[in-house]
Amino acid sequence: MAVFVALGAFLMTLAGGWTAQRVTDRRHLVLGLAGGLMLGVVGLDLLPEALRAAGREVFGVPAALLLFVAGFLVAHLVERTLAARQAAHGADESNGRAPEVGLTAAAAMVGHSFMDGVAIGAAFQVGGGMGTAVALAVIAHDFADGFNTYTITSLYGNARRKAIAMLVADAAAPVAGAASTAYLTIPAPLLGGYLGFFGGVLLYLAAAEILPEAHHEHPAPATLLCTVAGAAFIWLVVGLAA
């Protein structure tokens, strides 16, 4: 049952990626929406869940928040290191961005989607009602995951085929995650730490890369409205799933 339901997440993820690539003539609006979706996912979905799951504190600070900051800093370090290496070797970059950063971020999205599938499978082990509630929440926000995966990969100058490949991997990940729950149990503290770290990575990409790019050439009110709408959509999804 969990795998069957996860197929809905597969289709919704593909729908999100398809939407992102079909509206390239409104690139600034796409990026504004993607930034809002990512901000909403981090602040309203990932961090609350990470804080609940990770539990313990380290020197007065929740472990999930420490890993959140670590994820932000690691994303910044990786991007700067790759960009500097490419510049030193005279390689082409897309607006100063290293394509590897986009692939790495998309791979992190795939890992997150796999954990979504694990969440579906674990919830169905608790009961049908719990499984249905979690599945609906995952399916609803997987549209945003697919949208963001394609957008991030493309933004960093990767070829369209690579962006589509990462999108397909992201779509398949929840199905694989749901299937794995027949053999796999992930401790809550480990899951909480992962969510915190991943949230930091996403926030860096949204705040330091995607939103500045969205407003660079088109600082229009419509772009800002798309960002607000993206965050509001995630709030709606989280509220309906609660």
Side-chain angles (χ1 to χ4, degrees):
M1 182 62 181
V3 174
F4 177 76
V5 171
L7 289 174
F10 174 86
L11 295 175
M12 190 63 77
T13 303
L14 290 181
W18 180 85
T19 300
Q21 64 175 306
R22 294 294 294 179
V23 292
T24 51
D25 58 328
R26 293 289 185 270
R27 185 170 178 268
H28 59 291
L29 298 181
V30 171
L31 294 176
L33 179 61
L37 290 171
M38 292 170 71
L39 176 61
V41 167
V42 172
L44 306 177
D45 187 14
L46 292 182
L47 272 184
E49 182 61 33
L51 289 170
R52 281 193 295 267
R56 70 188 187 91
E57 295 185 351
V58 178
F59 203 62
V61 178
L65 290 184
L66 287 175
L67 286 166
F68 172 77
V69 173
F72 188 98
L73 294 175
V74 166
H76 178 58
L77 177 63
V78 168
E79 185 192 31
R80 290 298 87 205
T81 300
L82 289 175
R85 188 183 67 182
Q86 283 205 343
H89 288 81
D92 291 332
E93 296 181 49
S94 176
N95 296 323
R97 294 183 174 87
E100 293 90 342
V101 174
L103 292 176
T104 301
M109 295 292 293
V110 173
H112 172 60
S113 294
F114 179 85
M115 298 308 298
D116 280 346
V118 171
I120 292 175
F124 269 103
Q125 290 178 4
V126 174
M130 175 68 73
T132 300
V134 171
L136 288 176
V138 169
I139 289 172
H141 93 252
D142 271 357
F143 179 89
D145 283 354
F147 192 99
N148 289 335
T149 298
Y150 185 90
T151 301
I152 290 172
T153 309
S154 300
L155 178 64
Y156 280 82
N158 290 286
R160 182 173 179 270
R161 59 182 178 79
K162 289 186 178 180
I164 292 176
M166 295 308 298
L167 173 63
V168 172
D170 188 44
V175 180
S180 73
T181 55
Y183 317 98
L184 176 68
T185 300
I186 300 177
L190 181 61
L191 177 60
Y194 163 78
L195 292 176
F197 185 87
F198 178 60
V201 173
L202 275 191
L203 183 63
Y204 176 81
L205 294 174
E209 298 294 332
I210 289 181
L211 289 177
E213 178 70 13
H215 292 275
H216 177 61
E217 296 181 358
H218 298 275
T223 306
L224 179 59
L225 287 176
C226 283
T227 302
V228 174
F233 172 75
I234 298 300
W235 185 17
L236 176 64
V237 170
V238 171
L240 292 175

